[in-house]
Amino acid sequence: MRILLVRPQYRGLYKLIKANAKKNLVVPPLGLLYVAAMLEKSGEQVEIIDGEIESFTIRELALEAVKRKPDLIGVGATSVDFHLAKIFAEEIKKCSDITVILGGPHATVLPDKVLQENSCFDFLVRGEGEVTSVELVRVLKNSGKAGLKSVLGISYKMGRDIIHNPDRPLFNFQKDCVWPARHLLKLNKYMFPSPKKGMRQMTVVQATRGCPFGCIYCYKMFGHVVRQRSISDVLAELKYVVRDLGCERVSFVDDTFTLDSSRVIELCEGIVKEKLKFGWICLARADTINTAMVKAMKAAGCDMISMGVESGNDAILKAIGKGENRADFVNAFSILHNEGMTARASFILGLPGEARETIEETIRFSQELRVDRAFFNICTPYPKTLLWDIAENGQALSFVDREFEYFTRWGNSVIELPGISAVDLKAYQRKAMIDFYCRPKIIFKHLTEFLSGNAASYYYRPLLFAIREKLKDVFSRIKSR
């Protein structure tokens, strides 16, 4: 069976900091790559079109998809970009009868709504898609709709009825994981800023799946159970992407890469032993950071660690189920600073229980921490999270907009709090960016990086945004005198 997997262009979603399409960081669509690899392993013919890389409009993407004459088209979507997948599928159905399958978080959390309101999707794949996609294709090829009941993890319409087959158990990531089908992409188009080098070819690697923590704003697509690939398999994949594919940067997309310190150190020692030369970044939690691990990570090429701080107020941190406090963050970022590791922090403004004072406390805290780069998100509830339930019930915060395409966290707010409007939250986000980046030490650090060889304009977007907005304020005050 000829199968085409697609990702629609998404660059227009995020409004606060506009991206230059030709200089944008584009991360490979890892979910599609894993599904493609499993389908190829089962004997199917697979292609991928990345609309973001190709700069296709949605209509252009649909025309290109139909032109390739696939038997089946698969597309994934989060809640934020679901409308793009929907428009794409509608365009496909206007000019063909090709079967269209939707996977990803949105199809997983709202299958009834998706099928009730959108006739353009023939099937939904809920949860992890690797095994479900293989079984669905096999049934469609051999049995047609008669065999659909045997496929776990799918939803579909039968006449007017919506059918939800039982959930599929979590994928055996340790045993059955195949490497992503990177050969289906134009690999040299995927770039990431590298210290002293600028934009360099990159890829993404996933060493574990699952997150054991209980933050109220997060939907756990991969569940709470952490599944770890063997160190030997991860190292073999790293050797392949660095030596055979020529990637100079890797982004580890594990929810918490540093969860198991001894495992991280073992992996880093393996990277050093194999003499693999590449830069890499990862996500971490403050309460997992220790000096020995950070030293090993730096020796293995890690040059930036990103942590979600969310709030500078301990009561808010406790209320959102973060399981960490201010002292944890102070300690963790101090370790990173002392070891010469670039530190990135993300924050959320407008969490349940927030007042203007706590938002301002978070903005101040971002400047007190030894952090090199910071990003400030507006609190945004997503379906099937505790935060969504709180907003639905009007507890502590409430919705002002329910159109998912506006759930971007950047440059827009879909919620308000008592005494704090959506407009206020957007203003706080802008203020946080200006206050953090327009400090002499942050400007100096970025200038030093530029002079050392990192001329990637993408990397400096937050700084340039902050300076531009700061100058607007200065000129506005001068003009008003």
Side-chain angles (χ1 to χ4, degrees), residues 16 349 378 409-415 420-433 465:
L16 185 61
L349 308 178
I378 294 176
R409 309 185 308 276
W410 280 92
N412 191 64
S413 176
V414 296
I415 59 114
I420 305 175
S421 70
V423 173
D424 292 333
L425 289 172
K426 288 189 285 185
Y428 273 124
Q429 184 180 56
R430 179 178 178 274
K431 170 180 166 55
M433 292 288 290
F465 166 83

Side-chain angles (χ1 to χ4, degrees), residues 13-31:
L13 283 175
Y14 299 94
K15 311 296 184 184
L16 185 61
I17 302 177
K18 295 182 179 179
N20 181 320
K22 293 183 179 180
K23 297 180 180 179
N24 195 15
L25 180 156
V26 182
V27 176
L30 187 61

Side-chain angles (χ1 to χ4, degrees), residues 170-189:
L170 290 175
F171 180 52
N172 191 335
F173 196 57
Q174 305 96 314
K175 179 183 176 183
D176 298 330
C177 177
V178 294
W179 295 353
R182 296 183 177 91
H183 60 280
L184 298 178
L185 298 177
K186 297 177 180 178
L187 296 175
N188 62 346
K189 297 282 187 85

